[in-house]
Amino acid sequence: MELPPRPKLFDFHGVSMTHYFTDNWENIQNFQARPDDILIATYPKAGTTWVSYILDLLYFGQTAPERQTSLPIYERVPFLESDFHILPPGTELADKLSTSPRLKTHLPVQLVPKSFWEQNCRIVYVARNAKDNEVSYFHFDRMNQAHPEPGDWNNFLQRFMDGKMVFGSWYDHVTGWWERKQTHSKLHYVFYEDMVEVSRTTSCAIKVLTSLQIM
């Protein structure tokens, strides 16, 4: 089967995006967060799936262990802004969860639905070293059909430094969330490298977050 063409980048409210993350925009912005929601926020390739698994185990590992084998991670921790057309949009998946949803997003802080701030939700933001983040992003984009063609390394490096990536500039993303941390007491700002260091000294994945005083 022939794959659809790679999407093109375009400017969306000052942030480079592709249509897979903007086609459902009205529903994204009108999404109603719940007071006990936990939002996982990262720049792409900064530990999103890792933290998603940890939080899901932390909250449901004992009470509903069947979740680990009966539901894929994208249903347990929906990707808020995703609309890939072969699956229900992330907002729809989140609304269907009987438990309070554990959501993930790559949106820069200024584009996050206002209901998360109004409900004073807990947020876990993970920041990763720019160099490692970029290398991971490059290899991810080589296989990810929802992003533009990465081109060669030199071209990709220049785009990364210029902020011409899906979800925009790495620098703007990590600094924007850091600044919001100063006014939102329930925003826990975590460094990927600290999580790696903690994971080396414990055999329990859940302790990675609890030892960093996130939960």
Side-chain angles (χ1 to χ4, degrees):
M1 183 178 67
E2 186 177 352
L3 294 173
R6 296 262 193 150
K8 300 295 184 182
L9 275 183
F10 60 91
D11 184 273
F12 186 75
H13 299 292
V15 178
S16 295
M17 296 287 265
T18 70
H19 71 90
Y20 289 115
F21 310 109
T22 61
D23 284 351
N24 192 38
W25 195 249
E26 183 176 354
N27 289 329
I28 293 167
Q29 287 301 287
N30 292 328
F31 181 79
Q32 294 302 304
R34 303 170 188 171
D36 58 346
D37 272 344
I38 299 175
L39 180 66
I40 301 164
T42 72
Y43 193 71
K45 310 315 297 174
T48 326
T49 303
W50 187 13
V51 177
S52 297
Y53 273 109
I54 290 173
L55 282 178
D56 191 67
L57 282 169
L58 181 62
Y59 282 90
F60 303 108
Q62 297 296 321
T63 59
E66 69 281 357
R67 285 168 59 96
Q68 310 306 315
T69 54
S70 64
L71 291 175
I73 192 64
Y74 65 81
E75 289 187 12
R76 287 180 274 153
V77 187
F79 185 6
L80 178 65
E81 59 269 23
S82 66
D83 188 7
F84 299 122
H85 309 302
I86 58 174
L87 297 169
T91 52
E92 184 177 323
L93 289 172
D95 282 334
K96 286 182 177 179
L97 284 177
S98 58
T99 53
S100 185
R102 309 291 179 238
L103 293 156
K104 69 177 183 180
T105 185
H106 291 318
L107 291 174
V109 69
Q110 71 272 18
L111 297 184
V112 170
K114 63 181 181 180
S115 64
F116 286 99
W117 311 114
E118 293 170 346
Q119 296 293 342
N120 199 28
C121 295
R122 282 181 290 177
I123 299 172
V124 177
Y125 184 84
V126 186
R128 189 179 187 183
N129 173 280
K131 181 187 69 173
D132 294 336
N133 204 150
E134 177 191 9
V135 171
S136 181
Y137 207 162
F138 175 66
H139 291 292
F140 181 69
D141 273 8
R142 293 174 66 190
M143 52 74 65
N144 182 14
Q145 297 298 313
H147 285 205
E149 189 69 45
D152 63 23
W153 171 251
N154 288 335
N155 175 69
F156 188 87
L157 173 60
Q158 188 61 55
R159 285 202 298 115
F160 187 89
M161 292 191 297
D162 292 340
K164 302 301 182 183
M165 308 293 298
V166 184
F167 296 103
S169 160
W170 172 90
Y171 178 81
D172 291 346
H173 206 282
V174 299
T175 56
W177 279 98
W178 178 263
E179 289 168 0
R180 181 57 65 93
K181 171 186 179 295
Q182 313 311 314
T183 58
H184 188 76
S185 62
K186 291 188 177 181
L187 199 168
H188 304 278
Y189 199 102
V190 185
F191 294 97
Y192 181 93
E193 293 72 24
D194 289 342
M195 291 178 57
V196 171
E197 186 62 29
V198 171
S199 71
R200 289 173 178 162
T201 62
T202 177
S203 60
C204 179
I206 291 174
K207 289 182 181 177
V208 173
L209 286 184
T210 55
S211 66
L212 292 172
Q213 298 183 338
I214 294 173
M215 309 312 299

